[in-house]
Amino acid sequence: MAKRKRLSPALLGSTEPALTGDTGSQSGPGSRPPIAQVAGEAAEQSAFAEVARTLTEAREDGRLIQRVPLEAVETGHLVRDRMAFDDDDMAALRASLEARGQQVPIEVVTFETGGYGLISGLRRVMALRQIGASEVLALVRTPASSAEAYLAMVEENEIRAGISFYERAHLAAEAARLGLYASPQAAIAALFPRASAPKRSKIGSFVTLHGALGDVLRFPAGIPERLGLALVKALGSDPGLADRLRADLIDAAPTDAEAERTMLEAALRKPSAAPRQSPPEVAPGIRLDGRKGKVVLSGPRVTEALQRDLVAWLAAR
């Protein structure tokens, strides 16, 4: 009777000696069955591939925190919404970074020419530079547009730190000037979508203030909400106020926010200049504006003939 071949226990995953035909060969101590070994290696390769894929996706999606050279981060990539830093807040931030290290990453975009453009985290970058750090933890983002990058910056600062109404207005005005939005009002709606209607209205009022005095104000971020709104109201009712304020601010050149604020408050307490009345009409078509040492005639009937008659009359007196 012919002998039947038995299947190799290795193929069945058994740890017993493998027999083929009439003879058997016992595998060495601790050896893995061929199929188990192949399956294990395949699983390891699959796991490594999955990790690599996950890391790649995280990096591309801006979810992977990376260490980048601090000197390679350009802070002027966007028009910043923050215009001033509080000394006490910066001192506290530096102390925290020295004691605990950086806990929250900044957000950047990469430049094709190399380096990174800062989206959010300006205070952390400045503080790290002040303590002599060489690297910064960063999330490398890929915003679809400049408008999206500005929105990311605004959203972080709205959550993490108080930005003044003037700073918000300055950002909206500059974003519109750069062509990112059709108007400052459109920029306000896009950059501050979660703000209430009254808050967006106040930002719009400060846009008016920025347009009237922005280039002569030295410490605009220090203008309180109430003062700024009062200034906008006064500018609307007194057309000459903007010119007077500009001249006063240029002449005084205040050296700190308090001095500038005091000047603005004083301007509101001054009575508005009364609009100048037209000189009275002394004859049909002739107006006379007489002041000490000066007489001015105006009107459609002030002709060369009238001037000759007036000269003759004066000569005969």
Side-chain angles (χ1 to χ4, degrees), residues 58-269:
R59 182 180 292 106
E60 292 175 349
D61 294 344
R63 294 180 288 109
L64 181 66
I65 297 176
Q66 305 177 47
R67 290 187 179 274
V68 303
L70 191 56
E71 64 179 10
V73 177
E74 182 182 324
T75 57
H77 171 57
L78 302 178
V79 176
R80 311 312 306 182
D81 51 356
R82 181 179 294 280
M83 302 176 67
F85 297 99
D86 182 84
D87 291 340
D88 292 338
D89 289 346
M90 288 299 293
L93 179 56
R94 288 194 299 271
S96 173
L97 289 170
E98 289 179 321
R100 304 176 59 239
Q102 183 185 351
Q103 302 298 307
V104 180
I106 65 171
E107 292 180 290
V108 297
V109 295
T110 56
F111 294 143
E112 292 182 359
T113 55
Y116 303 88
L118 181 67
I119 296 178
S120 64
L122 178 60
R123 292 173 69 247
R124 272 159 281 163
V125 169
M126 300 303 294
L128 286 167
R129 287 177 175 172
Q130 289 167 3
I131 65 175
S134 60
E135 293 183 321
V136 59
L137 299 177
L139 291 168
V140 180
R141 304 295 195 188
T142 53
S145 63
S146 295
E148 185 176 312
Y150 275 97
L151 181 58
M153 174 182 65
V154 169
E155 286 183 338
E156 180 185 314
N157 280 338
E158 288 292 305
I159 294 171
R160 297 189 180 283
I163 303 297
S164 71
F165 275 102
Y166 189 95
E167 289 171 312
R168 294 183 177 101
H170 168 262
L171 177 64
E174 288 300 297
R177 183 183 65 80
L178 292 171
L180 300 176
Y181 303 97
S183 66
Q185 290 69 32
I188 292 170
L191 294 173
F192 307 98
R194 295 174 182 80
S196 64
K199 186 173 182 178
R200 289 198 296 270
S201 176
K202 291 175 182 177
I203 298 173
S205 294
F206 273 80
V207 168
T208 301
L209 181 62
H210 171 69
L213 303 175
D215 59 333
V216 295
L217 289 168
R218 294 189 171 196
F219 307 95
I223 299 176
E225 174 187 340
R226 182 175 297 180
L227 174 58
L229 296 177
L231 282 168
V232 172
K233 183 178 180 180
L235 289 168
S237 61
D238 183 357
L241 178 59
D243 290 337
R244 296 197 303 275
L245 267 176
R246 291 174 63 84
D248 290 346
L249 287 165
I250 292 172
D251 291 341
T255 57
D256 55 47
E258 183 177 357
E260 186 170 80
R261 187 167 58 249
T262 300
M263 283 191 62
L264 296 174
E265 291 170 346
L268 290 178
R269 291 193 293 268

Side-chain angles (χ1 to χ4, degrees), residues 276-280 282 287-291 294-298:
R276 189 175 178 184
Q277 301 295 325
S278 298
V282 295
R287 295 183 179 277
L288 185 147
D289 184 8
R291 291 176 246 170
K294 184 177 183 180
V295 173
V296 178
L297 294 177
S298 61

